[in-house]
Amino acid sequence: MMMHYGFDIGGSKIALGVFDTTRQLVWETRVATPKESYDAFLDAVCGLVAQADARFNCQGTVGIGIPGMPETEDGTLYAANVPAATGKPLRADLSRLLERDVRLDNDANCFAISEAWDDEFTQYPLVMGLILGTGVGGGIVQNGKSITGHRYITGEFGHIRLPVDALEVVGRDFPLTRCGCGQLGCIENYLSGRGFAWLYTHFYHQQRTSPEIVALWEQGDVQAREHVERYLDLLAVCLGNILTIVDPDLVVLGGGLSNFSAITDGLAQRLPRHLLPVAAVPRIERARHGDAGGMRGAAFLHLTN
């Protein structure tokens, strides 16, 4: 039986999930990510593949999800928080060492792929994954395969700027804060988990964490309720622009804020006024595969040509 190996590689851990032909997870393991030596990094990945090959008595397919740009123009990886491998021809080296076609994609695309291959969601040809977490990002998956774009930029939704109608929600004197990318007014600064908390502080001059605000909302706190309404209005404005470009069948929300039911529940009714009159609001669902998404999506890189 053919097995699909999916690696979720981050700054601290290399996680491997092995999936069977019915896309079920049958085994997983993890090791610490080697920080300095590229050879140690390659050895760690190859060692886990060897373990899986022996365990399942086959040569499984290998897919890897990694933060950053899996392959730049010269064939090297760019991943700032994986210093041992950044700047190296990771895909080519692993393909050679493992004697099989190794596929790479970024972690946000792997999240979207994982959800698109959910048993129920496979009915949708165009799936958009939107991550509302530490940052804002995601991916677009068409017929089970991610659209990476020329430089793996597709799905960097957090780095579009606030649209003009956002100012109707937050006020025309609203401050445009500088993003880590260097630009002013990126929506990530307002729609991410930290943005959610920043908006609260901006309007109410009180420092609260996102979980604290959510807890207040659940208790019926008037300020927290007003804040969540405003955040949802802002999210709908920004998402309306993205949906007009992408026009997906399904939007899957991930990241910490997706666990807050008011967001998934309150979004659909707000969207029509921000879409073209002929547009339909896509189905909006919370991510179903959570922390396993990186491994799943990486493993499923081999399900399409």
Side-chain angles (χ1 to χ4, degrees):
M1 185 194 255
M2 174 55 74
M3 294 289 177
H4 300 293
Y5 307 163
F7 284 90
D8 181 13
I9 297 181
S12 58
K13 57 106 177 62
I14 297 175
L16 165 65
V18 176
F19 297 81
D20 64 18
T21 50
T22 65
R23 301 193 300 276
Q24 298 304 305
L25 178 67
V26 291
W27 186 60
E28 67 177 301
T29 187
R30 58 186 54 202
V31 296
T33 305
K35 296 275 195 281
E36 277 87 40
S37 160
Y38 182 51
D39 285 341
F41 182 91
L42 293 173
D43 286 347
V45 174
C46 292
L48 290 172
V49 170
Q51 272 186 60
D53 283 354
R55 190 181 190 100
F56 297 100
N57 195 29
C58 72
Q59 269 215 341
T61 64
V62 177
I64 293 175
I66 201 158
M69 290 166 66
E71 247 183 314
T72 54
E73 213 137 316
D74 63 358
T76 59
L77 167 77
Y78 172 75
N81 66 344
V82 189
T86 198
K88 306 285 199 246
L90 182 63
R91 192 186 64 79
D93 286 346
L94 284 175
S95 295
R96 175 176 48 79
L97 290 166
L98 294 169
E99 299 178 332
R100 65 197 89 172
D101 168 37
V102 174
R103 296 185 180 179
L104 268 67
D105 207 336
N106 70 38
D107 50 354
N109 286 346
C110 286
F111 156 75
I113 291 167
S114 167
E115 295 297 327
W117 282 102
D118 175 84
D119 287 348
E120 187 188 343
F121 295 162
T122 53
Q123 66 181 295
Y124 298 111
L126 193 61
V127 176
M128 178 182 140
L130 178 65
I131 299 165
L132 301 172
T134 312
V136 172
I140 300 169
V141 178
Q142 185 164 29
N143 299 325
K145 188 173 186 173
S146 70
I147 299 171
T148 61
H150 180 53
R151 292 284 183 93
Y152 290 87
I153 304 296
T154 304
E156 288 285 1
F157 304 121
H159 297 288
I160 62 173
R161 315 295 176 257
L162 281 175
V164 289
D165 44 344
L167 300 178
E168 304 300 329
V169 176
V170 291
R172 298 212 163 256
D173 57 348
F174 189 67
L176 298 182
T177 58
R178 193 162 297 282
C179 181
C181 77
Q183 301 287 353
L184 278 174
C186 286
I187 65 172
E188 175 167 289
N189 276 2
Y190 311 105
L191 299 181
S192 63
R194 58 189 165 73
F196 182 83
W198 181 92
L199 279 169
Y200 187 91
T201 304
H202 171 71
F203 283 101
Y204 304 112
H205 312 291
Q206 289 172 293
Q207 293 270 344
R208 296 218 191 280
T209 65
S210 293
E212 284 169 352
I213 298 164
V214 170
L216 285 169
W217 181 89
E218 285 166 347
Q219 292 158 26
D221 178 84
V222 174
Q223 240 171 231
R225 293 257 158 174
E226 185 183 78
H227 166 73
V228 170
E229 293 296 304
R230 184 187 292 111
Y231 173 87
L232 276 168
D233 287 341
L234 189 59
L235 178 60
V237 164
C238 296
L239 190 53
N241 276 346
I242 298 167
L243 295 179
T244 300
I245 297 166
V246 180
D247 194 22
D249 301 286
L250 168 73
V251 174
V252 183
L253 298 176
L257 283 175
S258 72
N259 297 319
F260 181 29
S261 60
I263 290 175
T264 37
D265 297 345
L267 199 50
Q269 70 211 46
R270 284 176 164 79
L271 282 170
R273 57 183 289 255
H274 303 297
L275 299 174
L276 286 171
V278 295
V281 175
R283 181 175 174 184
I284 298 173
E285 291 285 343
R286 217 160 82 194
R288 294 186 171 175
H289 300 283
D291 292 342
M295 296 187 308
R296 274 174 55 85
F300 302 162
L301 290 170
H302 281 273
L303 294 183
T304 53
N305 292 327

